[in-house]
Amino acid sequence: MPPPNADILGILRVFHDAGVQFVVIGGVSAALQGVPAATFDVDLVLDPARENLDRAWEVLSAIRACFREQLPSKRLEPERAQLESPGAMLLLTDLGPLDLLGAVATGWHHDELLARSHQIEVEPDFEIRVLDLTALIEIKEAVGREKDLAVLPLYRQVLREREGNDPGSQD
Amino acid sequence: MESHPRVEASTRSEPQSDSEVDGHVLPGDDGVDVTLIRWMLSLTVMERIATLQAQADALMKLRNAAAER
């Protein structure tokens, strides 16, 4: 049986409500800023502060995260220490696929990504940080895969089209 | 039924800009549909999430249906 789609709002909300600090990157970040493209998982970069990773760990336990790679033959749950790794953790949770990344292709870790992010309001008292579209473009250029390069015209056109009063636009 | 104005690619002359002819928005040279972008930009953040979720759910249904054939 294929994994379910990510409950995008559910994932963002459960981390937000637990007080976890994170930056949304990837396709969800792009879509929240107006890029009309589909995506099937949520990509987050966590603030690596110990207390923050502790909170994130509690959330991962609550939503029963396990590594997608070993499924369906084996259900392997991540260990707390792995949250401090700069690598990627490709997880499946009760809320669907979730990718936690320690760094991106440009070599940027959380602090660099945070500096290239801005806050958007999903609902009152529900704000999240998303990576700026310009930074997403730089990452896709750095990755350089065909599928990443193919969407660059779309991303760049959104930048050109976006107006100052767009709710998901950069500050 | 409401009729929608169309611009036939074969009859249009020199474009007035990269993306507009007589007020009609056309795909750019790179194939990007600016009308879709403008629609997406008109949505609230919550509406964009709902749209993204609906797209993903629909694509997954189609994928599963194709796999079952």
Side-chain angles (χ1 to χ4, degrees):
Chain A
M1 185 177 174
N5 283 334
D7 175 352
I8 297 164
L9 186 61
I11 289 175
L12 298 176
R13 194 185 288 281
V14 73
F15 279 94
H16 170 271
D17 289 353
V20 177
Q21 300 297 312
F22 60 88
V23 178
V24 184
I25 66 171
V28 172
S29 177
L32 294 187
Q33 295 173 79
V35 174
T39 188
F40 291 92
D41 58 15
V42 178
D43 300 320
L44 304 181
V45 176
L46 301 172
D47 181 330
R50 179 179 296 177
E51 303 76 18
N52 192 59
L53 295 185
D54 288 341
R55 287 192 289 272
W57 176 247
E58 289 179 12
V59 171
L60 291 175
S61 299
I63 60 177
R64 301 192 317 134
C66 66
F67 287 101
R68 293 203 297 273
E69 193 176 353
Q70 279 73 27
L71 291 174
S73 61
K74 186 177 180 183
R75 180 182 165 79
L76 183 61
E77 296 178 358
E79 298 176 7
R80 165 65 178 81
Q82 289 174 293
L83 283 182
E84 298 179 28
S85 160
M89 298 171 67
L90 310 183
L91 305 171
L92 184 63
T93 75
D94 287 347
L95 299 175
L98 167 66
D99 295 348
L100 297 180
L101 296 101
V104 296
T106 50
W108 299 335
H109 292 74
H110 174 267
D111 289 353
E112 290 92 352
L113 294 165
L114 186 67
R116 300 287 303 272
S117 71
H118 63 283
Q119 193 155 284
I120 61 172
E121 183 180 88
V122 180
E123 288 182 319
D125 299 323
F126 182 15
E127 296 182 331
I128 56 175
R129 294 201 73 86
V130 296
L131 189 62
D132 298 344
L133 210 45
T134 52
L136 287 169
I137 290 171
E138 287 178 46
I139 292 170
K140 288 202 169 290
E141 288 171 339
V143 174
R145 294 174 302 196
E146 203 167 333
K147 71 169 189 172
D148 293 294
L149 299 178
V151 298
L152 286 178
L154 186 60
Y155 281 47
R156 292 186 180 121
Q157 187 64 41
V158 171
L159 274 180
R160 286 193 286 269
E161 288 286 331
R162 209 161 51 180
E163 295 176 356
N165 61 355
D166 169 47
S169 69
Q170 291 160 230
D171 295 331
Chain B
M1 177 185 284
E2 184 183 358
S3 64
H4 297 276
R6 294 180 60 199
V7 173
E8 299 296 342
S10 60
T11 60
R12 69 185 170 103
S13 55
E14 286 297 308
Q16 294 155 356
S17 73
D18 286 348
S19 60
E20 294 188 18
V21 173
D22 296 333
H24 301 280
V25 182
L26 299 171
D29 291 341
D30 51 15
V32 173
D33 184 346
V34 294
T35 63
L36 207 52
I37 291 173
R38 289 174 187 172
W39 167 73
M40 191 72 165
L41 288 173
S42 74
L43 303 178
T44 65
V45 172
M46 184 60 94
E47 288 169 338
R48 291 175 194 170
I49 292 177
T51 299
L52 190 59
Q53 190 73 60
Q55 288 173 340
D57 291 347
L59 286 170
M60 186 63 77
K61 276 185 186 172
L62 289 171
R63 182 188 291 179
N64 292 343
E68 289 170 4
R69 289 183 63 188

